[in-house]
Amino acid sequence: MASSCRSCLVWVLCFFLCRCLVFVEPSRRVFLYPQSQEISSIVSKQYRTAYHFQPPKNWINADPNGPMYHNGVYHLFYQYNPNSSVWGNIHWAHSVSTDLINWAPLDLAIHPTKPFDINGCWTGSATILPGHQPVILYTGMNRDNQQVQNIAVPGNLSDPFLREWTKPDYNPLMTPSDGIHPDMFRDPTTGWRGADGHWRVALGAEISGNGTALLYKSEDFVRWQRADSPLHSSSASGMWECPDFFPVPIEGREGLDTSVNSKDVRHVLKMSLMEPQSDYYMLGTYDETRDIFVPDNAADDYRMWLRYDYGKFYASKTFFDAKKKRRILWGWLNESDTESDDIAKGWAGIQIIPRKIWLDSRGRQLVQWPIEEVESLRRNEVHLHGFELTTGLHEIKGVKGSQADVEVDFELPSLDRADPFDPTRAMDAPKLCSQEDASVRGGIGPFGLLVLASENLEEHTAIFFRVYREQNTAKVLMCSDQRRQSRSSLRPELDKPVYGVFLDMDLEKERKISLRTLIDHSVIENFGGKGRACITARVYPELFLNTSSHLYLFNNGSSSVMISRFQSWGMAKAHLNIKLKDLVIEN
Ligand code: DQQ
């Protein structure tokens, strides 16, 4: 059966694994402590991203803060420590762009200077008030280390880049009261306006052990009153950080302004669960008369809630892009490296490639896809069509494997050989991916990509699918495996998880499973089933320094798979720190 039937792929992997144990002498390790300046600059070059957003240096817990489109310019603020690459002394940093790919950094936007934010300017959101007037609500850690909510307004509205932000002295606008713990009261959402003309925002909290999105209301965006009931709360988890609340149309892929509500929309409530540091969301209805969100699935086990991303991904936030009528998702990708390595690198934290999001045609989940602008970085296409992927490895030559965009359609002419699915494993996707990893032969799968692979495969990360049969339907498992058999890095001290998710798709009908993978030095973003499930991983291969990075298709199942489409591109470097004068503004 499966475990006894190891394929030649395993042989290949074991062979090279043994070789690498012999040949990787300690002098090739790049993370020995303490590190010299010279080594840390090499490390930082290898792992720094070429087209994922990051500032030149220091810590970002890139909780995307206040993303917005205003008068021809996209703004991204983020949590930033100006003095170090570990968390602390949090300011709002600010970058602007006209295409969401190339960015110009500006001076820090919000500094902890006032009694109401002297201990840190934490996460918040932007709202565009009538008359194209942007405002920011953010959490301040006040002088007593209590969380309070403050407003910041542009210092000069005629500056197209909104470089100056002022914090009126009438702050704070909301303080913890009536059973709210001052440590658990933060991260205001973008505001939305109800039919009564009043503004609303939600805030993350934990009340009596329940994760909560508190609701506040205001007529003028300055005087706020807490609503009697929260927007939503659940006993399935503790503290909700960084809530996000927005409408999506039932039909089509367009985005909507946050205030839109009608019978033609569904609402999304996203919460970042502080434990286990993952973003979950619910689809449901916003009942405006009662001012509550009614989820379709209020399961009391949060593992049954939906997720944007089943890998490394946190503190996300969306905004409505009025220029292209779409809703865009940003999210923070933390390092999986050790803190001392972050210090040695001199930087930590990046953003995902912004994703357009919309409701799936079956209405059961959101779909995500990298914004079209990222395709402007594609260079040197390599493609294959109608290629039969039999058991084994197939190297794709001619692609810059450390900086690539890959799209593959795996077509399955027959599902007859799919292994039976054990229904007790339905909540167990990551564990299943780790037990039935890329080396365990199945009827259909595992098949997929090996990315960021070193010359002899001593290091590589496997992204793969496996198909099971459950009664008369096919169940598709998607995995990203960074450990043992798929050694994403030889460095033992790293966090090397296995991620997994079942795709919500009708394989009997579609007959193909698509995968899009964005590779950028230390990040791999995967979009399975045309964006119905995403898995993002941070990886730090060690052998980069001496070899180039390779890309493979592999199949370790006993059925062949047709590659009906394979396209890959090397990706050009984005200008992440362009000069402001080089941004072209189109209104
Ligand atoms: N990060 C911020 C908080 C937020 C957390 C502090 C989530 O406002 O709850 O840097 O990453």
Side-chain angles (χ1 to χ4, degrees), residues 226-302:
R226 183 173 155 197
D228 294 338
S229 307
L231 185 65
H232 188 61
S233 76
S234 168
S235 58
S237 79
M239 179 67 190
W240 289 357
E241 297 186 304
C242 307
D244 195 18
F245 187 60
F246 57 90
V248 282
I250 292 171
E251 298 280 344
R253 297 181 175 191
E254 278 201 351
L256 297 170
D257 179 86
T258 311
S259 294
V260 172
N261 193 12
S262 75
K263 62 175 183 12
D264 300 326
V265 309
R266 309 297 337 273
H267 268 79
V268 178
L269 175 63
K270 186 276 302 187
M271 54 292 273
S272 300
L273 300 194
M274 201 165 134
E275 192 48 57
Q277 286 275 304
S278 294
D279 281 14
Y280 287 79
Y281 70 88
M282 297 169 175
L283 285 168
T285 308
Y286 174 38
D287 177 345
E288 227 179 290
T289 46
R290 290 190 294 156
D291 249 329
I292 55 167
F293 171 72
V294 185
D296 299 344
N297 168 8
D300 58 8
D301 182 338
Y302 70 77

Side-chain angles (χ1 to χ4, degrees), residues 383-389 407-413 447 510-515 530 553 560-567:
H383 59 262
L384 300 169
H385 290 289
F387 162 77
E388 185 178 354
L389 187 62
E407 292 200 53
V408 201
D409 286 344
F410 299 96
E411 201 166 307
L412 301 166
F447 56 81
E510 295 182 35
R511 285 293 162 156
K512 42 173 115 137
I513 305 173
S514 77
L515 174 64
K530 300 203 177 96
L553 280 163
S560 293
V561 175
M562 285 304 293
I563 304 298
S564 52
R565 170 183 177 222
F566 176 96
Q567 283 176 287

Side-chain angles (χ1 to χ4, degrees), residues 530-580:
K530 300 203 177 96
R532 279 170 286 197
C534 301
I535 300 182
T536 297
R538 299 301 311 276
V539 296
Y540 308 89
E542 187 175 37
L543 302 179
F544 254 173
L545 293 180
N546 302 309
T547 70
S548 55
S549 180
H550 298 254
L551 174 68
Y552 293 84
L553 280 163
F554 81 95
N555 181 6
N556 201 11
S558 43
S559 313
S560 293
V561 175
M562 285 304 293
I563 304 298
S564 52
R565 170 183 177 222
F566 176 96
Q567 283 176 287
S568 66
W569 298 264
M571 296 296 271
K573 229 171 170 324
H575 299 287
L576 299 174
N577 294 292
I578 205 170
K579 293 226 165 43
L580 193 52

Side-chain angles (χ1 to χ4, degrees), residues 382-582:
V382 172
H383 59 262
L384 300 169
H385 290 289
F387 162 77
E388 185 178 354
L389 187 62
T390 49
T391 304
L393 283 170
H394 180 93
E395 180 164 7
I396 309 294
K397 304 250 189 201
V399 184
K400 186 174 183 194
S402 57
Q403 222 171 285
D405 183 355
V406 185
E407 292 200 53
V408 201
D409 286 344
F410 299 96
E411 201 166 307
L412 301 166
S414 157
L415 302 178
D416 293 348
R417 293 172 86 166
D419 295 322
F421 183 68
D422 171 358
T424 63
R425 310 302 301 270
M427 302 255 291
D428 244 5
K431 202 154 163 209
L432 202 50
C433 290
S434 98
Q435 287 165 346
E436 305 204 345
D437 64 30
S439 71
V440 179
R441 172 161 296 182
I444 304 181
F447 56 81
L449 294 175
L450 299 186
V451 306
L452 291 178
S454 60
E455 184 69 34
N456 294 325
L457 280 167
E458 299 98 322
E459 288 182 324
H460 61 269
T461 298
I463 299 113
F464 58 93
F465 299 97
R466 197 180 269 282
V467 179
Y468 298 94
R469 174 158 296 282
E470 188 181 30
Q471 288 155 356
N472 289 326
T473 59
K475 207 161 170 75
V476 180
L477 179 67
M478 173 177 171
C479 307
S480 156
D481 184 356
Q482 291 169 243
R483 31 114 257 178
R484 279 187 320 125
Q485 302 290 350
S486 331
R487 299 165 61 91
S488 58
S489 171
L490 293 176
R491 294 173 48 208
E493 71 279 16
L494 295 175
D495 174 26
K496 290 184 264 191
V498 185
Y499 301 119
V501 55
F502 293 107
L503 290 186
D504 184 2
M505 67 181 290
D506 185 348
L507 186 60
E508 305 277 345
K509 192 162 140 212
E510 295 182 35
R511 285 293 162 156
K512 42 173 115 137
I513 305 173
S514 77
L515 174 64
R516 177 156 181 203
T517 299
L518 297 172
I519 306 160
D520 191 4
H521 296 256
S522 57
V523 57
I524 305 168
E525 280 190 73
N526 299 295
F527 300 80
K530 300 203 177 96
R532 279 170 286 197
C534 301
I535 300 182
T536 297
R538 299 301 311 276
V539 296
Y540 308 89
E542 187 175 37
L543 302 179
F544 254 173
L545 293 180
N546 302 309
T547 70
S548 55
S549 180
H550 298 254
L551 174 68
Y552 293 84
L553 280 163
F554 81 95
N555 181 6
N556 201 11
S558 43
S559 313
S560 293
V561 175
M562 285 304 293
I563 304 298
S564 52
R565 170 183 177 222
F566 176 96
Q567 283 176 287
S568 66
W569 298 264
M571 296 296 271
K573 229 171 170 324
H575 299 287
L576 299 174
N577 294 292
I578 205 170
K579 293 226 165 43
L580 193 52
K581 68 175 176 46
D582 296 329

Side-chain angles (χ1 to χ4, degrees), residues 44 47-48 54 57-58 85 335 342 345-349 538:
S44 133
Y47 296 152
R48 269 190 84 79
Q54 62 177 156
K57 60 178 183 176
N58 292 333
S85 52
E335 304 302 308
D342 290 345
K345 293 198 303 246
W347 58 270
R538 299 301 311 276

